Amino acid sequence: MNGINIQYPWSRMLIDEEKCVETRTYPLPEKYEGEELAVIETPGKGGKFKARIIGTITFSHSFKYPNESTWKDDYNRHLVPEDSSFGWKEDKDKYGWVVSRVVKFDDYCAAPQKRGIIFSSNCELPIASGAA
């Protein structure tokens, strides 16, 4: 299975269905639209754990935010604070990736040893009830 690296705490908000739009500075690659992806939770700068798989996520599509006002108005879906390093920047495009489905695992799985910067392949997942 392919996977996507998502930094904590955003990974947790997505898998717990608190957040339903992931924001990035590029659109979701078409080949991943509708594909179930392993969520590889990465620790970020202050994290004290190794990357791990916490569930799966499917994005239906992505869209471009036309301006800062529209991005701010969509806060309840993306949950990115204005003052975050992942917030709106005038010199960068901002895209929303719409979540259509998540499956949260009861236990963590090991992340692949070799991962891409954003996407990874060869994620091994256990057969779990509720997983697609």
Side-chain angles (χ1 to χ4, degrees):
M1 173 179 274
N2 291 316
I4 181 169
N5 297 323
I6 303 177
Q7 192 173 357
Y8 179 87
W10 316 112
S11 54
R12 194 60 49 157
M13 287 186 248
L14 285 162
I15 211 75
D16 287 340
E17 298 184 72
E18 297 167 16
K19 173 180 164 85
C20 62
V21 171
E22 169 71 346
T23 61
R24 301 280 173 134
T25 57
Y26 49 90
L28 175 67
E30 284 186 29
K31 69 181 183 177
Y32 295 122
E33 288 181 3
E35 181 180 340
E36 186 176 27
L37 301 168
V39 176
I40 303 167
E41 181 175 61
T42 61
K45 293 178 183 173
K48 300 197 186 308
F49 62 88
K50 291 184 179 186
R52 56 199 179 190
I53 297 173
I54 62 170
T56 65
I57 194 164
T58 305
F59 298 102
S60 61
H61 66 285
S62 63
F63 63 91
K64 183 177 178 182
Y65 287 101
N67 54 49
E68 183 176 10
S69 175
T70 306
W71 180 80
K72 285 180 180 180
D73 289 345
D74 205 29
Y75 172 79
N76 288 336
R77 295 194 321 151
H78 63 67
L79 299 179
V80 180
E82 288 181 43
D83 61 351
S84 166
S85 62
F86 298 106
W88 182 268
K89 300 203 177 20
E90 283 299 325
D91 61 337
K92 294 208 177 211
D93 290 335
K94 185 67 82 174
Y95 291 84
W97 298 9
V98 180
V99 176
S100 60
R101 183 169 189 258
V102 297
V103 174
K104 181 179 181 177
F105 293 166
D106 292 332
D107 296 308
Y108 305 134
C109 301
Q113 290 290 335
K114 293 184 178 182
R115 293 189 313 277
I117 295 172
I118 301 162
F119 293 99
S120 297
S121 59
N122 300 322
C123 295
E124 294 184 19
L125 306 181
I127 297 173
S129 62

